[in-house]
């Protein structure tokens, strides 16, 4: 950032500090002297404290003073008001009524903290019918002066002179112009008050103080404080500022923030208005800061100084008079753009104003996720169709496609499509990958649609209640709404909201500074972060996002879409000869897939899980084989269908019934490793056996893998180095961890299935039907499929870790369920001392930050214990 300390042009110097003026019962405190006199926010108010800070930092401020909260009433007394006017004149080097260098006053109020309903500022104190012409001549325009003057007289008349609001409103009905309003109000005061509106600036200030305090004490203001849970008698400090008048071509006011709203980079951004400051400038009258006659160098210096002091993006109000820039107020931005916070954290650490660990601590994992995915730009006028489960983050728009085939057709035409189905299957994957988003009526955040969408980085909403798809009619009904194929919809996978029509979508693209913060997070974290990836393309994406290897390659996902017939032929083979032929084709296809995957992995670790999918995902739909003319295959498929496929013939069970299945996969894997190793790349291979519940199952499957390794070694002369392990995804496997560790060199906890089997919840049904109700009742704080249950599932994991390490102290332990991308679940895994977590590619940066935050939380807790 190119900001220097040497301002260009004329600069207002920080004000001097004359001795506080003593008046009966009150000290008038010039800006910059409050803390010296032992006053804090309770006395100075938030504004007075902020101005003290600006003066202490050596920044130029508008001359002014504070009347502390406990003494604010005395400003309504003539003697105190006159002393205040004289002190501001002394501070500013100008006098009220001086035609050559005119000065007016502004009165404002502030509470100790942020409060809604503070009285408005009263400006142009000191203006009179006699000097208004001279003031307008100096400014060069009259509108701003008369508008602010009219607002001030109006409030004084109502709250200090007790003229009813209705009377004031009636008087202004025939006065559309600001000058006319001032004349009407002054005339009304002369008729209704004890005497005309005063010309003396001290008397005007005293009336203004009484008006501000009366408004603050009004029944409406007290109700507002009660609504904010604030004391009804909360005091306010009063602030008297110099309002220096100058030519409009060289004078005005504005607001600037320290960060560009889009890029987050340091820059003075804002608008400048010419003339006398008013609370609501006319629309479209602001000018860019680059048109400031004094330049932006001093503003940039002030903003940079404040950022370094407050460690936050900041906003300043400023005025320019005769080319001199002075600050009117400064504060931390209440809702800075996320990119601004990220860039500032990195800037502060690089400049030494913040430790790198503190910079990492400032950006939450949730904010990382927000930066990585596009978001809908909501206005509040959207037409919400349905709210389902947030299955895969991001936002997208497109036309409704009711089949995978239609999604592919639309994508080929260059049309963005949202795939809408009751549920998805492996055959739908090509359409899911072609679609911009996926919407299903069934399933949860661990369903097929959710897992595939997260892996591809595609926004998805699952379990949308009331969604009914009629492909024959080409319609989808959502509650009482009917959409047709081709109608536009918009979807937010972070919130689960689906809207009718095409909404604006913000483009995802984190600033480069996020990569810097994530690199610093990598230096902090202990847990490794891997990716669940099944293809070379997914691995490349994940590595670019910081993945340190592959924690789960689901080999069954390599048979999705057009590859589905390969595994289907193995399962439905009519005889051993047909099965061997099908296995040979499968082995050849997997060999090529594995070569590409391993080459992308490089020398990193890669855990390859042998086939594990419910059988129904591979079988043809009822009637499909018969329609294709294969009645025998139809009959065999019917005989294999199960009442509960998630607990049926899958994982190691399928391999033990089809004994050539795992050897074929393992031979393809080891041969691919040998081919890749010949190029100089040596992935750290880990072969994983899924859905094991008994040590005997693992021992038998391990024998298949060892025999495959021996076969490849005999054929190629290469002994492939690998580890053999198992997935812990059944409660019995967790309980039998000690016995399984005798055969396994690593465990990977498959928390999706482990959660399903521990609770007895169907992950495809229960989220929509049960979990939402349980969360409403307070039974659950979050879906156990989204956030790891520490008491049940977590207890099983902890037990398995303890028992496995007792048998094999060096056993490698990780998590490969989608909990591996959830920050709270990651903290639990870190506390257990696991070696790594693995998640979908687009959650890898989130996991990196979450793992660092887990360590930093531990350090913070340790510091607190040490301190006590």
């Amino acid at each position: 950032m190119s900001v220097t300390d040497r301002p260009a042009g004329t600069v207002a110097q920080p004000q001097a500090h004359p001795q506080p003026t003593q008046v009966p019962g009150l000290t008038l405190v010039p800006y910059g002297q409050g803390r010296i006199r032992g006053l804090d926010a309770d006395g100075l108010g938030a504004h007075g404290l902020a101005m003290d800070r600006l003066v202490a930092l050596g920044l130029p401020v508008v001359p002014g003073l504070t009347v502390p909260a406990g003494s604010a009433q005395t400003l309504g007394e003539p003697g105190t008001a006159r002393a205040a006017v004289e002190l501001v004149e002394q501070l500013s080097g100008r006098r009220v009524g001086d035609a050559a260098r005119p000065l007016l006053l502004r009165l404002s109020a502030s509470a100790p903290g942020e409060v809604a309903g503070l009285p408005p500022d009263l400006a142009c104190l000191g203006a009179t019918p006699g000097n208004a012409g001279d003031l307008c001549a100096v400014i060069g325009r009259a509108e701003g002066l008369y508008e602010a003057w009219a607002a001030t007289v109006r409030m004084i008349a109502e709250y200090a002179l007790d003229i009813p609001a209705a009377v004031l409103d009636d008087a202004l009905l025939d006065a559309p112009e600001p000058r006319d309003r001032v004349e009407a109000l002054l005339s009304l005061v002369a008729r209704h008050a004890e005497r005309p509106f005063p010309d003396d600036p001290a008397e005007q200030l005293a009336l203004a103080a009484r008006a501000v305090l009366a408004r603050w004490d009004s029944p409406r203001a007290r109700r507002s404080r009660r609504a904010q849970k604030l004391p009804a008698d909360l005091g306010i400090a009063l602030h008297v500022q110099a309002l220096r008048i100058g030519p409009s071509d060289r004078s005005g006011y504005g607001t600037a923030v320290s960060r560009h709203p889009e890029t987050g980079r340091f820059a003075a951004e804002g608008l400048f208005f010419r003339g006398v400051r008013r609370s609501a400038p006319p629309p479209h009258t602001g000018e860019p800061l680059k048109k400031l006659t004094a330049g932006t160098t001093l503003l940039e210096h002030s903003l940079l100084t404040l950022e370094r002091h407050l460690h936050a993006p900041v906003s300043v109000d400023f005025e320019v008079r005769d080319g001199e820039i002075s600050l009117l107020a400064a504060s931390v931005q209440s809702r800075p753009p996320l990119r601004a916070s990220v860039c500032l954290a990195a800037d502060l650490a690089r400049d030494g104003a913040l430790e790198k660990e503190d910079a990492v601590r400032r950006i939450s994992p949730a904010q990382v996720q927000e930066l990585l995915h596009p978001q809908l730009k909501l206005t509040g006028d959207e037409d919400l169709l349905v709210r389902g489960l947030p299955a895969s983050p991001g936002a997208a728009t497109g036309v409704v496609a009711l089949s995978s085939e239609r999604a592919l057709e639309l994508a080929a035409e260059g049309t963005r499509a949202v795939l809408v189905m009751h549920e998805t299957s492996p055959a739908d994957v090509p359409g899911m990958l072609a679609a911009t988003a996926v919407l299903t009526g069934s399933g949860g955040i661990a369903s097929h649609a959710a897992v595939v969408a997260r892996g591809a980085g595609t926004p998805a909403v699952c379990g949308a209640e009331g969604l009914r798809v009629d492909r024959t009619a080409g319609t989808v009904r959502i509650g009482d709404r009917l959409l047709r194929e081709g109608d536009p919809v918009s979807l937010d996978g972070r919130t689960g909201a689906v809207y009718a029509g095409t909404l604006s979508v913000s483009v995802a693209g984190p600033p480069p500074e996020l990569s810097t913060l994530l690199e610093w997070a990598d230096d902090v974290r202990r847990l490794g972060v891997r990716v669940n990836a099944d293809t070379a393309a997914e691995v490349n994406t994940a590595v670019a996002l910081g993945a340190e290897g592959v924690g789960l390659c689901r080999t069954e996902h390599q048979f999705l879409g057009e590859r589905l017939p390969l595994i289907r032929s193995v399962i439905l083979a009519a005889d051993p000869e047909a099965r061997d032929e099908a296995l040979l084709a499968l082995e050849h296809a997997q060999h090529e897939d594995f070569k590409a995957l391993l080459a992308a992995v490089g020398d990193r670790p890669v855990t390859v899980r042998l086939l594990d999918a419910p059988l129904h995902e591979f079988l043809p739909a009822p009637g499909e084989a018969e329609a294709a003319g294969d009645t025998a295959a139809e009959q065999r498929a019917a005989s294999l269908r199960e009442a509960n496929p998630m607990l049926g013939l899958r994982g190691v069970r399928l391999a033990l019934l089809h004994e050539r299945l795992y050897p074929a996969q393992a031979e393809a894997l080891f041969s691919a490793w040998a081919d890749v190793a010949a190029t100089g790349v040596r992935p750290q291979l880990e072969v994983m056996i899924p859905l094991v519940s008994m040590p005997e199952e693992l021992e038998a499957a391990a024998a298949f893998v060892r025999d495959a390794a021996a076969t490849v070694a005999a054929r190629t002369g290469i002994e492939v180095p690998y580890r053999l392990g198992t997935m812990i995804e059944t409660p019995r496997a967790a309980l039998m961890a000690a016995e399984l560790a005798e055969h396994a060199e690593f465990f990977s906890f498959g928390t999706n299935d482990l959660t399903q089997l521990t609770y007895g919840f169907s992950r495809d049904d229960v989220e929509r039907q049960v979990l939402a109700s349980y969360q409403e009742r307070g039974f659950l704080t979050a879906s156990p499929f989204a956030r790891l249950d520490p008491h049940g599932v977590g207890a099983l994991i902890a037990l398995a870790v303890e028992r496995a390490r007792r048998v094999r102290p060096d056993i490698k332990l990780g998590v490969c369920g989608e909990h591996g991308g959830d920050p709270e679940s990651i903290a639990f895994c870190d506390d257990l001392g696991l070696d790594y977590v693995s998640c979908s590619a687009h959650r890898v940066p989130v996991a990196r930050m979450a793992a660092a935050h887990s360590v930093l939380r531990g350090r913070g807790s340790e510091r607190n214990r040490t301190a006590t």
Side-chain angles (χ1 to χ4, degrees):
M1 47 185 86
S2 56
V3 178
T4 64
D5 290 336
R6 183 173 57 85
T10 308
V11 175
Q13 298 302 314
Q15 63 188 59
H17 299 307
Q19 291 299 311
T21 301
Q22 299 290 334
V23 296
L26 170 70
T27 300
L28 300 176
V29 185
Y31 288 158
Q33 292 195 11
R35 285 185 291 184
I36 296 173
R37 301 186 61 78
L39 295 172
D40 57 13
D42 288 337
L44 293 173
H47 173 76
L49 193 65
M51 299 305 282
D52 257 33
R53 180 185 296 121
L54 295 177
V55 173
L57 291 173
L59 299 177
V61 301
V62 170
L65 60 86
T66 295
V67 183
S71 306
Q73 293 283 356
T74 61
L75 189 59
E77 300 170 2
T80 305
R82 190 165 306 283
V85 171
E86 293 172 356
L87 180 54
V88 172
E89 288 178 332
Q90 180 186 351
L91 292 168
S92 63
R94 297 189 180 203
R95 291 186 64 252
V96 178
D98 186 338
R101 300 181 71 237
L103 174 70
L104 296 177
L105 304 174
R106 177 189 294 108
L107 179 68
S108 62
S110 71
E114 238 183 84
V115 176
L118 281 170
D121 293 359
L122 297 184
C124 295
L125 296 170
T128 69
N131 65 20
D134 292 338
L135 294 172
C136 291
V138 171
I139 298 169
R141 55 177 68 180
E143 298 85 354
L145 174 72
Y146 279 101
E147 185 176 301
W149 187 11
T152 294
V153 176
R154 167 77 168 73
M155 184 165 152
I156 288 174
E158 179 178 355
Y159 288 97
L161 302 176
D162 298 326
I163 299 176
V167 174
L168 293 166
D169 291 339
D170 288 344
L172 296 176
L173 286 175
D174 297 323
E177 298 300 323
R179 183 193 297 263
D180 297 335
R181 289 201 292 273
V182 170
E183 292 176 355
L185 288 166
L186 292 176
S187 175
L188 188 69
V189 169
R191 294 197 308 272
H192 285 265
E194 295 180 357
R195 60 191 184 91
F197 197 86
D199 288 345
D200 187 314
E203 292 182 35
Q204 289 187 17
L205 178 59
L207 286 174
R210 285 156 49 192
V212 167
L213 293 170
R215 176 153 173 167
W216 179 246
D217 198 43
S218 68
R220 181 177 179 180
R222 286 176 171 269
R223 286 195 301 272
S224 173
R225 292 198 285 282
R226 280 198 299 271
Q228 298 174 69
K229 295 182 170 54
L230 296 170
D233 59 351
L234 180 68
I236 53 173
L238 298 181
H239 313 283
V240 186
Q241 282 185 338
L243 181 58
R244 297 169 293 183
I245 303 300
S248 61
D249 61 340
R250 301 182 62 233
S251 302
Y253 60 97
T255 299
V257 295
S258 59
R259 295 277 156 173
H260 190 284
E262 296 296 328
T263 67
R265 302 293 174 78
F266 179 83
E269 295 285 333
L271 290 174
F272 166 68
F273 300 89
R274 298 187 181 277
V276 176
R277 186 186 184 198
R278 35 189 159 170
S279 56
H284 314 301
T285 60
E287 300 178 36
L289 296 182
K290 65 183 179 182
K291 290 193 174 182
L292 281 170
T293 55
T296 60
T297 303
L298 179 62
L299 270 180
E300 290 173 344
H301 166 70
S302 300
L303 291 167
L304 185 62
T305 301
L306 285 166
E307 278 197 344
R308 293 303 180 267
H309 181 71
L310 299 174
H311 291 180
V314 295
S315 170
V316 298
D317 295 339
F318 64 91
E319 74 168 17
V320 179
R321 293 289 172 255
D322 296 331
E324 295 182 355
I325 294 178
S326 301
L327 302 184
L328 294 161
S331 62
V332 171
Q333 273 188 271
S334 58
R335 293 179 182 84
L338 182 50
R339 283 177 174 79
S341 298
V342 169
C343 291
L344 175 63
D347 289 344
L348 290 173
R350 279 193 292 243
D351 293 348
L354 201 67
E355 294 295 328
K356 290 180 179 179
E357 288 187 2
D358 291 326
V360 169
R361 190 181 278 111
R362 292 165 72 95
I363 305 302
S364 72
Q367 290 174 316
V368 173
Q369 177 168 291
E370 186 178 335
L371 283 170
L372 292 172
H373 299 285
Q375 309 287 324
L376 292 178
K377 297 179 179 178
L378 302 179
T379 63
D381 297 326
E382 293 76 22
D383 183 5
L384 179 67
L385 291 171
V386 68
R387 194 176 294 276
L389 299 169
S392 181
T397 65
V399 299
V400 171
L402 299 182
S403 67
S404 177
E405 294 78 12
R406 183 57 181 153
L408 286 166
E409 291 170 1
L410 290 168
E413 297 168 4
T415 302
R416 299 169 66 85
V418 175
L419 180 60
V420 181
M421 306 185 73
H422 177 66
E423 63 182 353
T424 62
S425 71
D428 298 313
V429 169
M432 295 175 69
L433 299 180
T436 60
V438 176
L439 170 63
T440 67
S442 67
I445 58 176
S447 65
H448 174 269
V451 171
V452 173
R454 280 196 296 268
T458 301
V461 173
C462 294
E465 191 169 359
L467 187 147
R468 301 288 182 268
V469 174
D470 186 339
R471 289 183 58 180
T472 304
T475 61
V476 55
R477 186 173 292 279
I478 304 176
D480 59 355
R481 299 289 296 275
L482 185 70
L483 300 178
R484 299 190 178 279
E485 193 164 42
D487 286 350
V489 294
S490 302
L491 180 152
D492 189 337
R494 182 175 60 89
T495 65
V498 183
Y499 301 95
T502 302
L503 304 185
S504 296
V505 179
S506 65
V507 178
E513 285 79 1
L514 179 61
S515 296
T516 301
L517 289 171
L518 287 170
E519 289 171 7
W520 295 342
D522 292 339
D523 294 336
V524 172
R525 64 182 167 88
R526 184 197 62 81
L527 271 174
V529 176
R530 300 192 194 179
V531 64
N532 299 341
D534 313 314
T535 66
E538 291 176 359
V539 171
N540 289 331
T541 297
V543 168
L545 292 172
E548 298 165 318
V550 174
L552 176 64
C553 169
R554 296 154 291 204
T555 56
E556 65 275 6
H557 281 195
Q558 296 172 345
F559 300 117
L560 303 177
E562 62 184 20
R563 291 281 187 85
L564 186 57
L566 288 173
I567 187 63
R568 187 174 285 174
S569 296
V570 174
I571 295 171
L572 297 179
D575 52 55
E577 183 178 343
R579 181 169 289 115
D580 288 344
E581 184 179 339
L583 282 168
L584 188 62
L586 178 146
E587 183 177 345
H588 175 74
Q590 289 230 285
H591 177 265
E592 296 305 313
D593 289 340
F594 286 144
K595 272 181 62 177
L597 179 84
L598 295 175
V601 168
D603 295 330
R604 303 174 184 87
V606 53
T607 304
V608 178
R609 182 181 74 186
L610 301 182
L611 198 70
D612 176 30
L615 197 58
H616 74 291
E617 292 191 0
F618 295 138
L619 295 177
E624 182 181 340
E626 189 167 10
D630 193 342
T631 303
E634 181 71 35
Q635 292 172 347
R636 288 192 294 275
S639 69
L640 290 171
R641 289 196 179 89
E642 301 168 314
N644 191 345
M646 297 301 290
L647 299 180
L649 190 59
R650 56 175 289 207
V652 70
R653 304 163 193 167
L654 181 64
L656 293 175
L657 292 183
H658 295 272
E659 294 192 355
R660 275 292 300 149
L661 181 58
Y662 277 9
Q665 283 195 288
E667 287 180 30
L669 177 61
F670 293 142
S671 296
W673 190 94
D675 290 346
V676 170
T679 68
V681 175
R682 297 177 65 85
Q684 302 168 43
L685 187 59
E686 299 171 348
V687 182
M688 184 159 65
I689 310 300
L691 209 71
V692 166
S693 292
M694 295 179 281
E696 293 82 1
E697 290 174 320
L698 179 57
E699 187 176 12
F704 291 155
V705 175
R706 284 194 295 269
D707 290 346
T711 299
V712 171
R715 186 171 69 241
T716 65
I718 297 174
E719 291 190 5
V720 178
Y722 69 95
R723 293 184 183 214
L724 189 137
T726 187
M727 208 167 180
I728 304 297
E729 48 194 328
T730 70
R732 192 175 197 275
L735 294 170
M736 299 290 290
E739 289 79 3
L740 293 174
E742 293 177 1
H743 306 283
E745 297 171 276
F746 69 89
F747 283 172
S748 183
F749 292 95
T751 52
N752 296 343
D753 268 313
L754 188 57
T755 297
Q756 176 172 238
L757 296 175
T758 300
Y759 273 98
F761 284 160
S762 166
R763 68 189 191 191
D764 288 326
D765 302 310
V766 73
E767 288 196 81
R768 183 166 56 93
Q769 301 279 356
V770 176
L771 295 188
S773 171
Y774 276 23
Q775 287 175 251
E776 289 174 3
R777 292 167 178 256
F779 295 177
L780 296 169
T781 57
S783 165
F785 293 106
R787 186 167 300 150
L788 192 65
D789 158 39
H791 308 296
V793 180
L796 282 172
I797 295 174
L799 180 69
V801 168
E802 188 273 327
R803 291 183 177 180
R805 283 181 171 154
R806 196 167 58 212
V807 172
R808 192 186 291 267
D810 63 344
I811 191 169
K812 184 181 285 188
L813 302 168
V815 161
C816 63
E818 275 303 311
H819 297 97
D822 171 65
E824 289 193 27
S825 305
I826 289 169
F828 179 83
C829 295
D830 195 25
D831 291 342
L832 280 184
L834 301 190
D835 296 299
Y836 67 88
V837 294
S838 189
C839 58
S840 55
H842 293 273
R843 299 182 83 183
V844 164
V846 178
R848 292 165 64 191
M849 186 63 77
H853 275 237
S854 175
V855 171
L856 293 173
R857 258 194 309 273
R859 291 179 184 174
S861 299
E862 184 61 36
R863 278 199 298 269
N864 291 340
R865 284 194 296 272
T866 303
T868 55

